[in-house]
Amino acid sequence: MLNESQVRQFEEQGYLVVPDLLDAGLLDDIKAEYKDKLSSLCRDWSGEGKLPDVADRSFNDQLQAVVDAGLDYFQPLDISWPIAEFPDNTPIHLGESVFRMTRNRRTLDALECLIGTEITSNPIQHVRIKPPLTDVASGENRAHIVGTDWHQDRAVAREEADTTRMVTVWIAITDATLDNGCLQVIPGSHKNSMHTHCPSTQLGIPHDRINLNDATPLPVAAGGAVLFHPLTIHGSRENHSRSIRWSFDLRYNVTGEPTGRPQFPEFVVRSQTAPDTELHDYNAWRELWMNTKSRYANKYQDPLSYHRWDGASSICA
Ligand SMILES: O=C(O)CCC(=O)C(=O)O
Ligand SMILES: [Fe+2]
């Protein structure tokens, strides 16, 4: 539950830092699940002669070896399908502890104070495990691996969700610090309208449109979170530390309102009016996501069916 001053902070500033949103048990389960997954990927890659044998190494060291070998760890560890044409062997991580994280009671209690009791898990969600910048291949510019350009989350959804009551829940799995690329926001920016976003290396707002003097970095200890409004301008800094920086971003909206990404599955996480509509079954959740693969694998995806920005605006020149 949030107290009145936390709700006021969210409403007035467009964001709220919540320490200890995940308990230590869930945090450990998520890390253990990802460690198993990465070890298994490493075993496969070693077997194919693409990677030295790193089976006994730590998660950090395994990730470093994978990055050094130029292998793509992002998609097999992500919790969403790509928003582009993808082959039907595209991997995704749909682990049981990730499902538990989407239903985390403290998260839903906090969301109730912001958007009410009818809450849907929005399918726009990612993991971001960012290696030290010095280890990243030159030319890598994905916002899941390096710093994230300034943007509003409303803009990465379709126009039909422009009035959807939605909250982003950004969760730190490792401590997020100034040095390793914590989230940063422009406080109060949710009170203005949506900015034009330009698709260049990432989908972002041109920097001359933002008062960067107001940029406020938000360091958060592992297990803590930043909750923010869909119009809050935010991004993240580069990872200048020597170890990985790991977060998840999940989104939630009022049930029945458009998610902004109808291609991917939504599900009810909490409902006071119809509790039997809540999805509690891990396998059913997995199935929902896997069905997306059957529908979209090997099919051309028009980027404009995911967001509205074609780069034609003069401010993108
Ligand atoms: O963690 C990041 O780099 C950016 C996260 C973000 O844009 C989001 O959570 O909406
Ligand atoms: Fe974002």
Side-chain angles (χ1 to χ4, degrees):
M1 278 306 176
L2 302 178
N3 61 36
E4 262 176 51
S5 88
Q6 288 175 303
V7 173
R8 204 171 326 116
Q9 150 80 24
F10 184 89
E11 282 168 358
E12 283 170 10
Q13 302 298 323
Y15 71 94
L16 175 69
V17 175
V18 182
D20 300 323
L21 193 74
L22 302 192
D23 61 43
L26 180 52
L27 207 51
D28 286 348
D29 289 349
I30 292 168
K31 287 187 195 150
E33 188 176 280
Y34 265 83
K35 170 81 173 92
D36 283 353
K37 178 79 178 223
L38 185 59
S39 296
S40 140
L41 288 167
C42 286
R43 265 194 307 278
D44 291 350
W45 281 322
S46 300
E48 293 162 19
K50 296 176 177 164
L51 190 72
D53 180 5
V54 290
D56 299 330
R57 308 261 282 276
S58 69
F59 186 83
N60 243 293
D61 287 355
Q62 286 182 338
L63 199 82
Q64 163 114 45
V66 169
V67 171
D68 288 349
L71 296 163
D72 190 24
Y73 68 87
F74 168 68
Q75 183 56 47
L77 300 185
D78 196 23
I79 56 176
S80 183
W81 301 112
I83 55 166
E85 182 172 342
F86 59 88
D88 63 6
N89 63 356
T90 301
I92 180 174
H93 178 68
L94 297 171
E96 194 267 340
S97 56
V98 170
F99 177 61
R100 269 196 285 137
M101 174 174 64
T102 65
R103 297 199 37 86
N104 181 44
R105 188 180 53 75
R106 280 175 56 81
T107 309
L108 304 185
D109 288 348
L111 287 167
E112 264 201 43
C113 303
L114 302 176
I115 57 170
T117 59
E118 308 307 310
I119 308 173
T120 281
S121 164
N122 181 295
I124 305 176
Q125 57 178 28
H126 291 290
V127 69
R128 302 182 201 243
I129 304 177
K130 304 191 182 187
L133 188 61
T134 45
D135 295 342
V136 175
S138 65
E140 174 60 75
N141 51 35
R142 284 176 286 174
H144 316 106
I145 294 176
V146 294
T148 301
D149 225 337
W150 294 102
H151 67 282
Q152 293 161 304
D153 277 2
R154 187 79 95 205
V156 302
R158 278 161 49 147
E159 227 157 326
E160 66 210 30
D162 278 1
T163 57
T164 293
R165 285 162 292 173
M166 188 186 296
V167 173
T168 300
V169 178
W170 183 99
I171 303 170
I173 301 299
T174 52
D175 292 347
T177 64
L178 296 184
D179 200 30
N180 75 7
C182 63
L183 199 72
Q184 48 183 355
V185 297
I186 307 288
S189 51
H190 66 303
K191 295 204 165 151
N192 299 321
S193 49
M194 193 187 292
H195 282 260
T196 297
H197 284 59
C198 299
S200 63
T201 48
Q202 295 178 11
L203 183 63
I205 306 170
H207 291 189
D208 59 2
R209 305 267 145 176
I210 306 172
N211 190 353
L212 291 175
N213 293 329
D214 292 341
T216 303
L218 301 173
V220 187
V226 183
L227 275 47
F228 60 92
H229 185 280
L231 285 176
T232 299
I233 300 175
H234 63 284
S236 72
R237 301 150 71 103
E238 305 281 8
N239 182 358
H240 291 293
S241 78
R242 289 304 314 140
S243 54
I244 59 164
R245 168 276 201 210
W246 179 355
S247 63
F248 286 96
D249 38 282
L250 308 178
R251 286 163 195 76
Y252 297 86
N253 59 265
V254 173
T255 297
E257 299 185 354
T259 64
R261 189 163 297 171
Q263 299 93 334
F264 292 1
E266 61 190 272
F267 64 95
V268 174
V269 283
R270 180 167 284 181
S271 172
Q272 203 171 76
T273 58
D276 55 350
T277 59
E278 291 177 2
L279 183 76
H280 291 267
D281 180 36
Y282 163 63
N283 288 315
W285 171 77
R286 225 187 118 74
E287 189 120 319
L288 272 174
W289 277 95
M290 294 308 278
N291 287 343
T292 303
K293 176 156 103 166
S294 326
R295 276 201 307 280
Y296 290 100
N298 302 320
K299 297 197 177 83
Y300 170 72
Q301 303 300 322
D302 180 353
L304 294 179
S305 67
Y306 287 95
H307 64 70
R308 71 201 76 177
W309 310 106
D310 61 5
S313 163
S314 58
I315 79 157
C316 297

